[in-house]
């Protein structure tokens, strides 16, 4: 396979690999190493079936079944992100996936199934680059802090419990997912690099700070992490596939395409408890 970095901080295009077929051990190791180095890997023209996508993701760990998002009818590990006027997009905020559990995902594999004529780009930001760009005294202040991550911040009832059937599933999810606490700065368990691990999507407060201090620091970090220097933006084509390391990245799905429809399939790989 061939790697083409998209910038110094984050992102690489991977060529000369067929992800519709089971990964051999060498390709698996090479992809894993590339993921640690570039954090987000982009692949073009990979028409994976839901089963092939699930099997690809499962080479990297156990898969997560999402408590709220709709599932593929035959492959429950595949989330259907099918957005349109009737089901407007909700990923237009900077977030790290599923940080509302004790062991948030190590990564995710996203496949473009149906796209608007234009728009619907996705952006990723490097929490490592964002952290390294902070001043040393500010990093020192953040280093020992911890933060609460709240399921309800991204999955409110008004949006995800609109029908009686949705309500039942949403209440079960809410009861199963009280807020959890993670370090504000985490260490990548494989690369050892440190980076920012709070996001607009799920982080509700910094535990050790006063409420107004917490709001101010989180507001600053939300703006900071989205600096173009730390980000990469992907303009999707049908059957593009993206594999991101979810441990020290955040992403944002641009919601600029309504009333057109956009359909994506996601497989989510469970990770380890952040430290
Ligand atoms: C996701 C997500 C991005 C997109 O799958 O976790 O945020 O581009 N989606 O749909
Ligand atoms: Mn997401």
């Amino acid at each position: 396979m061939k790697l083409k970095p998209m910038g110094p901080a984050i992102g690489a295009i991977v060529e000369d690999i067929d992800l519709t077929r089971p990964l051999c051990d060498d390709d698996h190791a090479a992809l894993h190493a590339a993921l640690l180095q570039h954090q987000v890997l982009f692949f073009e023209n990979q028409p994976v079936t839901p089963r092939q996508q699930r099997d690809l993701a499962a080479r990297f760990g156990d898969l997560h079944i999402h408590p709220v998002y709709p599932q593929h009818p035959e492959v429950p590990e595949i989330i259907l992100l099918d957005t349109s006027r009737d089901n407007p997009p909700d990923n237009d905020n900077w977030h790290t996936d599923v940080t509302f559990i004790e062991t948030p995902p190590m990564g995710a594999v996203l496949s473009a199934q149906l796209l608007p004529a234009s728009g619907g780009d996705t952006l990723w930001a490097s929490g490592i680059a964002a952290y390294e760009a902070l001043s040393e005294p500010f990093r020192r202040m953040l280093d020992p802090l911890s933060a609460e991550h709240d399921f309800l911040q991204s999955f409110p009832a008004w949006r995800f419990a609109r029908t009686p059937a949705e309500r039942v599933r949403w209440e079960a999810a809410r009861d199963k997912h009280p807020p959890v606490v993670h370090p504000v700065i985490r260490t990548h368990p494989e690369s050892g690099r440190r980076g920012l691990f709070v996001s607009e999507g799920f982080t509700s407060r910094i535990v050790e700070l006063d409420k107004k201090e917490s709001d101010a620091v989180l507001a600053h970090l939300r703006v900071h992490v989205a600096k173009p220097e730390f980000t990469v933006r992907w303009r999707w084509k049908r059957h593009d596939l993206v594999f991101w390391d979810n441990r020290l990245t955040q992403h944002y799905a641009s919601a600029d395409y309504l009333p057109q429809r956009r359909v994506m399939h996601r497989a989510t790989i469970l990770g380890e408890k952040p430290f």
Side-chain angles (χ1 to χ4, degrees):
M1 72 183 69
K2 211 161 74 205
L3 271 181
K4 297 206 299 201
M6 295 172 76
I10 184 167
I13 298 174
V14 186
E15 291 177 345
D16 298 333
I17 185 167
D18 180 358
L19 298 178
T20 67
R21 307 207 308 202
L23 282 184
C24 67
D25 289 346
D26 284 353
D27 283 351
H28 175 264
L31 280 189
H32 188 233
L35 186 72
L36 294 190
Q37 186 178 349
H38 298 287
Q39 301 175 85
V40 189
L41 303 177
F42 299 89
F43 305 83
E44 295 169 289
N45 190 27
Q46 304 286 346
V48 288
T49 65
R51 284 186 178 77
Q52 288 166 344
Q53 185 179 348
R54 175 198 59 197
D55 294 346
L56 169 67
R59 281 298 304 274
F60 295 86
D62 293 338
L63 302 186
H64 176 251
I65 302 223
H66 202 277
V68 171
Y69 282 139
Q71 308 168 348
H72 188 279
E74 280 133 44
V75 189
E77 297 89 346
I78 297 292
I79 295 173
L80 305 177
L81 298 166
D82 184 346
T83 45
S84 60
R85 196 171 12 211
D86 299 333
N87 183 42
D90 66 302
N91 280 317
D92 50 332
N93 64 84
W94 283 101
H95 64 282
T96 304
D97 284 341
V98 196
T99 61
F100 57 84
I101 62 175
E102 291 287 345
T103 57
M106 68 78 73
V109 174
L110 189 64
S111 159
Q113 299 291 311
L114 180 80
L115 293 169
S118 69
D121 295 0
T122 309
L123 296 86
W124 283 263
S126 167
I128 296 170
Y131 175 67
E132 289 176 352
L134 293 169
S135 70
E136 201 266 333
F138 196 64
R139 268 184 282 153
R140 234 185 308 133
M141 184 198 70
L142 295 177
D143 279 337
L145 300 179
S146 52
E148 209 168 74
H149 293 237
D150 191 344
F151 165 81
L152 293 174
Q153 187 156 314
S154 277
F155 295 100
W158 64 264
R159 172 69 180 79
F160 290 91
R162 289 182 300 188
T163 65
E166 280 181 1
R167 181 98 209 168
V168 170
R169 194 162 177 240
W170 177 84
E171 282 184 359
R174 177 201 57 193
D175 295 348
K176 197 178 159 207
H177 298 293
V180 298
V181 172
H182 296 304
V184 167
I185 306 302
R186 81 178 282 192
T187 302
H188 194 289
E190 298 184 281
S191 70
R193 300 173 77 188
R194 289 170 63 69
L196 196 59
F197 192 60
V198 290
S199 72
E200 176 185 5
F202 293 111
T203 310
S204 44
R205 66 188 187 99
I206 297 178
V207 175
E208 295 84 355
L209 300 186
D210 161 271
K211 163 99 168 66
K212 285 181 181 168
E213 292 171 345
S214 168
D215 289 348
V217 170
L218 289 176
H220 171 65
L221 293 174
R222 275 206 296 272
V223 172
H224 176 72
V225 76
K227 269 186 86 167
E229 287 84 343
F230 316 141
T231 72
V232 64
R233 179 174 184 140
W234 188 250
R235 189 171 168 209
W236 295 93
K237 303 172 301 303
R238 184 158 190 251
H239 293 151
D240 283 350
L241 182 147
V242 178
F243 181 11
W244 68 88
D245 187 328
N246 193 60
R247 290 168 291 198
L248 281 170
T249 63
Q250 312 188 5
H251 53 280
Y252 182 112
S254 180
D256 55 359
Y257 50 88
L258 293 184
Q260 296 176 86
R261 188 177 170 204
R262 179 177 183 269
V263 181
M264 312 292 281
H265 287 177
R266 186 179 102 202
T268 315
I269 308 154
L270 279 168
E272 49 289 288
K273 188 171 165 59
F275 56 87

